[in-house]
Amino acid sequence: MIKENLEKVRATVPDGVTLVAVSKFHPAEMIAEAYDCGQRIFAESRENEFRQKAETLPKDIEWHFIGHLQTNKVKYVVPYATMIQSVDSERLMDEIEKQTAKIGRTSIDILLQIHVAQEETKSGFTPDEIVDLIGKNRVAERWPHLRLRGVMGMASFVDDTEQWRKEFRAIRACHKALLDGPLKAQGIGQETFSVLSYGMSSDYEVAIVEGTNMVRIGTSIFGPRVY
Ligand SMILES: *Cc1c(COP(=O)(O)O)cnc(C)c1O
């Protein structure tokens, strides 16, 4: 089943768009099945589950963390994560910086999570907040271990294509505002700050039209989650 699902999804994801398989709440055996079909990038959203899976599954898996991360849990995630996509506060950036340095790792990839959805419960920086924060700090001095790779966001939990489109455009516009503004001024360009991570099972086809280059897909690969 996973094999067929994965093949179906792959057929709809164009070259140049990275497919991240969201395996949260699914057992290691299901991840192993996707792994056997060649999938190497997986994402998890809860720290303890993330750690357990990363410790037991093959070492050439590239793990992304995509859930809300509390600062006191950062130390458990940093040793295993290739990328933390859900970086949503200045405090969290400081803590990831600190823990990455502490374990002697040269750098860690992060995405800045941008809040564009209608729901208050979703986290992330507003576009103004993040442009302001990056404008006020020299990234290489304050966060020398963080590699800012791009932006991540989630559309509203509504069944409205036009709404998704509008929100995806807002994420993309924020990426551009950062590149053309405070990042350019610091010599950080499109070569490193290249990732636009938006699009999930329900809305990734719209996200692709709206220029995403990283989709995070769970349900369409692994089926519904049992919470
Ligand atoms: C769970 C999750 C996804 C995947 O959602 P599906 O609808 O199962 O594809 C993508 N991104 C984030 C941040 C998530 O938490």
Side-chain angles (χ1 to χ4, degrees), residues 131 134-135 174-188:
V131 170
I134 302 301
C174 180
H175 176 257
K176 187 170 177 348
L178 286 163
L179 267 182
D180 294 348
L183 289 176
K184 187 175 189 178
Q186 302 185 33
I188 300 172

Coordinates of all heavy atoms in Angstrom, one line a residue, residues 131 134-135 174-188:
V131 N 11.1 39.9 9.1 CA 12.0 40.8 8.3 C 12.6 41.8 9.3 O 13.8 42.1 9.2 CB 11.1 41.6 7.3 CG1 11.9 42.7 6.7 CG2 10.7 40.6 6.2
I134 N 15.5 39.7 11.4 CA 16.7 39.5 10.6 C 17.4 40.8 10.2 O 18.6 40.9 10.2 CB 16.4 38.7 9.3 CG1 15.7 37.3 9.7 CG2 17.6 38.4 8.5 CD1 16.6 36.4 10.6
G135 N 16.6 41.9 10.1 CA 17.1 43.2 9.9 C 17.9 43.7 11.0 O 18.9 44.5 10.9
C174 N 7.2 36.6 1.5 CA 8.0 36.8 2.7 C 9.5 36.3 2.4 O 10.4 37.0 2.8 CB 7.4 36.1 3.9 SG 8.4 36.3 5.4
H175 N 9.6 35.2 1.7 CA 10.9 34.7 1.3 C 11.6 35.7 0.5 O 12.8 36.0 0.7 CB 10.7 33.4 0.6 CG 11.9 32.8 0.0 ND1 12.2 32.9 -1.3 CD2 12.9 32.1 0.6 CE1 13.4 32.2 -1.6 NE2 13.8 31.7 -0.4
K176 N 10.9 36.3 -0.4 CA 11.5 37.3 -1.3 C 11.9 38.6 -0.6 O 13.0 39.1 -0.8 CB 10.5 37.6 -2.5 CG 11.1 38.5 -3.5 CD 10.2 38.6 -4.7 CE 10.6 39.5 -5.9 NZ 11.7 40.4 -5.7
A177 N 11.0 39.0 0.3 CA 11.3 40.2 1.1 C 12.6 40.0 2.0 O 13.4 40.9 2.1 CB 10.1 40.5 2.0
L178 N 12.7 38.8 2.5 CA 14.0 38.5 3.3 C 15.2 38.5 2.4 O 16.2 39.1 2.7 CB 13.8 37.2 4.0 CG 12.9 37.2 5.2 CD1 12.5 35.7 5.6 CD2 13.5 37.9 6.4
L179 N 15.1 37.9 1.2 CA 16.2 37.8 0.3 C 16.6 39.2 -0.2 O 17.8 39.5 -0.3 CB 15.8 36.9 -0.9 CG 16.1 35.4 -0.9 CD1 15.7 34.8 -2.2 CD2 17.6 35.2 -0.6
D180 N 15.6 39.9 -0.7 CA 15.9 41.2 -1.2 C 16.3 42.3 -0.2 O 16.8 43.3 -0.5 CB 14.7 41.8 -2.0 CG 14.3 40.9 -3.2 OD1 15.2 40.1 -3.6 OD2 13.3 41.1 -3.8
G181 N 15.9 42.0 1.1 CA 16.2 43.0 2.1 C 17.3 42.6 3.0 O 18.5 42.6 2.7
P182 N 17.0 42.2 4.3 CA 18.0 42.0 5.3 C 19.0 40.9 5.0 O 20.1 41.0 5.4 CB 17.2 41.6 6.5 CG 15.8 41.2 6.1 CD 15.6 42.0 4.8
L183 N 18.6 39.9 4.2 CA 19.6 38.8 3.9 C 20.6 39.3 2.9 O 21.8 39.0 3.0 CB 18.9 37.5 3.5 CG 18.1 36.8 4.6 CD1 17.4 35.6 4.0 CD2 19.1 36.3 5.7
K184 N 20.1 39.9 1.9 CA 21.0 40.5 0.9 C 22.1 41.4 1.5 O 23.3 41.3 1.2 CB 20.2 41.3 -0.1 CG 21.0 41.7 -1.3 CD 20.1 42.4 -2.3 CE 20.8 42.7 -3.6 NZ 19.8 43.3 -4.6
A185 N 21.6 42.2 2.4 CA 22.5 43.1 3.1 C 23.6 42.3 3.9 O 24.7 42.9 4.2 CB 21.7 44.0 4.1
Q186 N 23.3 41.1 4.2 CA 24.3 40.3 5.0 C 25.0 39.3 4.1 O 25.7 38.3 4.6 CB 23.6 39.5 6.1 CG 22.9 40.5 7.1 CD 22.3 39.8 8.3 OE1 22.8 38.8 8.8 NE2 21.2 40.3 8.8
G187 N 24.8 39.4 2.8 CA 25.5 38.5 1.9 C 25.0 37.0 1.9 O 25.6 36.1 1.5
I188 N 23.7 36.9 2.3 CA 23.1 35.6 2.2 C 22.1 35.6 1.1 O 21.2 36.4 1.0 CB 22.3 35.2 3.5 CG1 23.3 35.2 4.7 CG2 21.6 33.9 3.4 CD1 22.7 35.0 6.1

